[in-house]
Amino acid sequence: MKAVKTLGQFIIEKQADFPYAKGELSRLLRDIGIAAKIVNREISKAGLIDIIGETGEINTHGEQQKKMDVYANEQFISALQSGGECCIVVSEENDEHVYIDSEISKNAKYIVAIDPLDGSSNIDVNVSVGTIFSIYRRKSDEGKATLDDVLQKGTEQVAAGYVIYGSSTMLVYTTGKGVNGFTLDPSIGEFCLSHPEISVPNQGNTYSINEGYYTHLPAGVKKYIKYCQVEDDGTSRPYTSRYTGSMIADIHRNLIKGGIFIYPATSQYANGKLRLVYECNPMAFIVEQAGGKASDGYRRILDIEVTELHQRSAIFIGSQKMIEKAEEMMAEFLPENAKWISGLNEKLNGVGQIN
Ligand code: AHM
Ligand code: MG
């Protein structure tokens, strides 16, 4: 019989990868795992309890807050508070960064950015939703951390992961040494290693984008969509289109089977919809660690300067070859303001050069 390895056992084993660490990161990951189980418990009975629907409040992005968004936010913040390893939480559900105000947490080393319930509009109709998290080491050594500690580029992440509450519940994470996935076994209440060393196929045959926005899409994206739809035996086109409205569900599928997920800038939303700090950066770190690629159409997501907590970014993420193809088409239709994209000329290598 195959031995089961729980998330807790795996985290302890992997602590040896960080010889100078004192176990705080391991405890942080464990706390996130516990909160995920609590949130999962409530989501799985969402139709039975009064947790579906809206709170009547509007969140920081002008969107209706769902009851489950608020519940998940509280659970994760409370788990991080009792763990004592995190000094600040940045959440999609809070306008400002939240200080974990306790004696043990104020000098804690880590900052956690979180989207407690991504795709929450899907909860009312029983489609997969998820939690995304990203962990940074604070820049300052001690005392009260500041916003400056929080605004770090994606390359500075020490760990990132997501939980998908789907037909089964999974936690997938990376600490920069590959990506591993754990499935929740409800009979023992533990996340168990089910997808060791996840690797994204270089090329897939699925594309995910909200084609309802077609009229508002950049010309390069329109061209790429048409490319996906054209018959071509050599490249197994046409590709299949799959878009759930839950980024985690779409990216998780592409992570396992290969594919591309695009949420571009549109003529209505110049920087796209998804948030850099707690949506794009963590997913980019995971996908890169699994051998894939993540870009805003022109440059690597993880290299983008972070200037605001709720900054938005376009994202093209998934199988390496598919992202490169989409980037090639984006480069043919550079926006007028493309000059500010540093290093773009070098990267374009002669295609669509700007002066
Ligand atoms: P949310 O964080 O408010 O749930 O929004 C993020 C979600 C993503 O999961 C999904 O890919 C996207 O919004 C769907 O947006 P749209 O309906 O514009 O296609
Ligand atoms: Mg979200």
Side-chain angles (χ1 to χ4, degrees), residues 92 115 118-119 210 213 243 245-247 263 273 275 279:
E92 179 175 339
D115 180 355
D118 185 63
N210 188 338
Y213 301 141
Y243 188 79
S246 275
M247 167 177 66
Y263 204 115
K273 171 186 180 184
R275 271 60 48 128
E279 292 180 322

Side-chain angles (χ1 to χ4, degrees), residues 255-308:
L255 196 63
I256 309 284
K257 295 195 161 178
I260 181 170
F261 172 90
I262 306 176
Y263 204 115
T266 64
S267 52
Q268 288 168 308
Y269 301 103
N271 299 312
K273 171 186 180 184
L274 300 177
R275 271 60 48 128
L276 183 59
V277 174
Y278 42 81
E279 292 180 322
C280 301
N281 271 339
M283 297 313 279
F285 188 24
I286 296 164
V287 166
E288 281 198 6
Q289 280 295 313
K293 221 176 156 179
S295 128
D296 71 350
Y298 310 103
R299 44 182 185 164
R300 186 180 177 217
I301 288 282
L302 296 181
D303 285 334
I304 298 176
E305 282 308 326
V306 177
T307 53
E308 286 170 40

Side-chain angles (χ1 to χ4, degrees), residues 33 57 85 101-102 154 172 181 188 201-202 214 224-225 251 260 276 308 320 329 350:
E57 301 292 318
E85 316 299 349
D101 243 344
S102 74
V172 175
I188 57 168
N202 264 341
Y214 193 82
Y224 184 71
I225 292 176
I251 297 184
I260 181 170
L276 183 59
E308 286 170 40
Q320 193 185 327
M329 293 180 178

